[in-house]
Amino acid sequence: MNVNDTYTDQQLRDAFLEVQQRYEKTEEGGWHVWINCGDSQTAEGGAQQAYGKFALDNLGAARTGLEVGGYEFEPRSNRPPCPPAPVESSNVDMSQCSDSGSIKSPEMAEAFAALPPRENVELLQTMAPEHSDERSMVAAIYYVCAPELVGDDLKDFATELATALGKTSLADTVYSMSVHNFYGTDTLDKLRAQPFQQYNFDDSINPAALRPAWERLPG
């Protein structure tokens, strides 16, 4: 199961026990439960928050090594927050941003430059390779250093960037758009909107309304 916020140990345990209680009514056997970060229950690759298992019957006991009706649960120690925590303004050192890479898409750089200036936000690299699923379109990928932007703040920034990208000559060829946020050696967040053309990235829409367009990527 996935969670989209940082849970305490007790909240994670409560979520696990809720799964166990629900399965007791409808399922049989033994079950392993991983609790990860994710914006939806179908998201994959998020940071693991906890692990548990439970046995509902004799078969489940044999599969899990537990007694019938028993369970084990362990929240992961030193687990990353979900979503990652931003860097405090007082601690930001933009010299920690990676060296800028190549700007392989001038149109994407043009969209970034069209945004109002933001403190502590730097464009590192742009790429627009052929999309693996839609060969006639591209995967627009922004690499940025924005240590104060994670979670919803990064989603809102990504929406502003997508709106600007939608005004360039590249817009009609974009199948997906991603924003990868790095600070030093840390990956703070990775977001993707796909299919890009499905969403109405427009100046008239509040960026908060388009947060569901962005899925968090592993890594």
Side-chain angles (χ1 to χ4, degrees), residues 47-65:
Q48 189 175 124
Q49 303 292 290
Y51 164 76
K53 58 183 179 178
F54 55 85
L56 302 178
D57 50 30
N58 289 329
L59 178 60
R63 287 177 172 174
T64 62

Side-chain angles (χ1 to χ4, degrees), residues 150-168:
V150 297
D152 285 346
D153 288 337
L154 185 63
K155 288 181 179 182
D156 292 348
F157 172 74
T159 291
E160 294 176 16
L161 192 51
T163 300
L165 182 61
K167 299 174 183 177
T168 70

Side-chain angles (χ1 to χ4, degrees), residues 23 47 54 78 86-87 92 94 97 114 121 141 184 196 209 219:
Y23 276 43
F54 55 85
N78 300 320
V87 178
V92 169
M94 294 301 284
C97 294
V121 176
I141 307 171
F196 182 83

Side-chain angles (χ1 to χ4, degrees), residues 25 57 63 70 83 120 153 155 173 175-176 187 201:
K25 299 175 182 178
D57 50 30
R63 287 177 172 174
N120 298 333
D153 288 337
K155 288 181 179 182
T173 68
Y175 185 73
S176 70
T187 302
F201 293 112

